[in-house]
Amino acid sequence: MSEVFPSLAELHALNPKHQAAYPDPVAVDEVVKELSVRPPLVFAGECDDLRGKLAQVAQRKGFVLQGGDCAETFEGVTAANVSNKLRVLLAMAVVLTYAAQVPVVKIGRLAGQYAKPRSKDTETRGGITLPVYKGDAVNGFAFTPEARTPDPKRLLDVYNASAATLNLTRAFVTGGFAHLAQIHSWNSDWAKTSGVGTRWEELAGEIERALAFMVACGMDDESMRKVDFFASHEALLLEYEHALTRIDSRTAKPYNVSGHFVWIGERTRQLDGAHVEMLRHVQNPIGIKLGPTTTGADALALADVLDPDHQPGRISFITRMGAKKIRELLPPVIEQVEASGREVVWICDPMHGNTFEAANGYKTRDFNDVMDEVNGFFDVHDQLGTWPGGVHIELTGDDVTECVGGADALAETDLGDRYESLCDPRLNRNQSLELAFLVSQRLTDGRLKRGLRDLQTAPTADVLA
């Protein structure tokens, strides 16, 4: 893999898609200069650790749980919001680990997910046309010329917000919050009222009894007290990602230190485009979103450019085909990639292919469609004998009403009660936990069920952490 990192000018010469139209290039240069000397948000060694875990997933020895906000907001950087997201993700991971008996790699869609590609560059209201909201990294949500004008100084706010989020996250996952003995406290204020609350309480009780037995036997392992947790986001805005790419002192190779895992979106994965060119040089594990137009040849061409050395754990394909199309479109893509001998991680994004507008104007998703795509993903892998490596979910730790359906049977008329997302609708905490139970069942069904002999090949820390 080349160690010569392209300049911003070279990347912009490739006509990058979905970038901010900044009015003042001098201000952009000043922000990039300042970002380029800020401390790293993550460390190269952490990225290597994640790549190693993903290599295990590609070899059928783990499962990825990736989740978080559609688009983070600066206002949302509070201890309460971060802890709410973490406890939902931790609860989901426990369900998958304990019920399905597979190690779970936990990746938050956080600490950098502040920009979103949009289908249109402008928005019109009452005869007034302004730039569309592209996330807090670019502009403000308020429909005013001042708020909607792209401001490069917001990239400094992204850095500060991401640093604060990562500091909170690290404190939570290593400071006792993630201790399995605290499992009941994670969801104490809502599990009992949830449609899946009874199942959660039963599972938590089983885990507590198992832990008590292990401690009594002298097996109070450190892996029960803290977990490994990684940060990810879409590497969309070139100025931010380029400024936070550094040469690692150990290897003399470039790493993107804005997050452990960065992905290329469905709209920016052009083979000769700027985003592929930028990320092919960094050593981080890379995700690639694959939509319904993807062919096996497309996927292989991207893998060949981004991972010419076939590095284990380097490539994760995140499929977003839609519930109605996945069973037809995904098999030939998997078959061609697998036939090449590549070991990649296959992750299902059941959110982005299943969005629609409700009769009352809200952008939403039906939980039944989300689960149908997840089931389709498992059906395809079961049919092909390949490994379903993970799920990628837009979720929140709050009791929002943005996606219809689920155990609480949210209807379109309920959407206005607590619709808080500024971009795409997210699963709420009850729907997220329900999805985890359903995924754990699929992992234990049929040919995908693994025995204890397989688990014994993985260290205890990997199973629990």
Side-chain angles (χ1 to χ4, degrees), residues 277-454:
E277 174 61 20
M278 176 175 65
L279 292 189
R280 77 181 182 90
H281 294 274
V282 303
Q283 296 296 299
N284 307 58
I286 301 295
I288 309 167
K289 289 286 190 85
L290 302 180
T293 62
T294 308
T295 65
D298 294 335
L300 273 180
L302 285 163
D304 288 342
V305 170
L306 288 162
D307 180 33
D309 300 326
H310 292 228
Q311 189 176 32
R314 165 70 171 174
I315 296 294
S316 294
F317 284 127
I318 307 170
T319 63
R320 39 161 295 180
M321 304 291 187
K324 294 181 174 63
K325 300 178 180 179
I326 186 168
R327 291 172 178 84
E328 173 190 355
L329 299 179
L330 185 56
V333 177
I334 293 177
E335 286 177 319
Q336 192 160 348
V337 171
E338 294 285 326
S340 73
R342 281 192 173 275
E343 291 186 349
V344 303
V345 178
W346 294 102
I347 299 175
C348 176
D349 171 1
M351 308 296 290
H352 286 90
N354 297 303
T355 308
F356 66 95
E357 184 174 315
N360 52 10
Y362 284 98
K363 190 177 183 182
T364 189
R365 291 157 175 156
D366 191 319
F367 185 78
N368 289 333
D369 291 338
V370 171
M371 275 313 306
D372 188 29
E373 179 152 4
V374 170
N375 279 321
F377 177 75
F378 277 90
D379 290 344
V380 169
H381 283 283
D382 194 9
Q383 170 194 341
L384 298 178
T386 49
W387 182 245
V391 290
H392 179 118
I393 308 295
E394 289 186 337
L395 58 80
T396 177
D398 300 320
D399 190 21
V400 300
T401 55
E402 297 172 3
C403 293
V404 299
D408 295 333
L410 292 179
E412 291 187 10
T413 54
D414 298 318
L415 293 175
D417 292 348
R418 280 196 64 182
Y419 196 103
E420 299 176 4
S421 175
L422 300 185
C423 289
D424 291 341
R426 305 159 294 176
L427 298 184
N428 63 29
R429 54 197 184 184
N430 296 354
Q431 292 166 329
S432 299
L433 191 57
E434 182 179 2
L435 180 139
F437 276 112
L438 293 168
V439 171
S440 71
Q441 185 60 51
R442 286 306 308 254
L443 278 168
T444 58
D445 280 347
R447 291 188 297 148
L448 299 180
K449 185 173 182 178
R450 301 191 302 159
L452 291 175
R453 184 174 61 181
D454 293 313

Side-chain angles (χ1 to χ4, degrees), residues 19-35:
Q19 299 303 289
Y22 296 118
D24 184 356
V26 174
V28 175
D29 292 342
E30 291 174 350
V31 167
V32 169
K33 183 178 180 180
E34 183 170 348
L35 279 174

Side-chain angles (χ1 to χ4, degrees), residues 19-78:
Q19 299 303 289
Y22 296 118
D24 184 356
V26 174
V28 175
D29 292 342
E30 291 174 350
V31 167
V32 169
K33 183 178 180 180
E34 183 170 348
L35 279 174
S36 65
V37 297
R38 293 278 183 98
L41 291 172
V42 303
F43 299 101
E46 296 172 338
C47 299
D48 292 342
D49 289 344
L50 175 58
R51 192 172 60 242
K53 289 179 180 295
L54 292 173
Q56 293 292 301
V57 175
Q59 295 169 6
R60 302 172 180 243
K61 297 177 182 178
F63 191 79
V64 174
L65 173 63
Q66 185 175 12
D69 277 318
C70 158
E72 295 175 281
T73 64
F74 299 148
E75 189 178 82
V77 184
T78 67

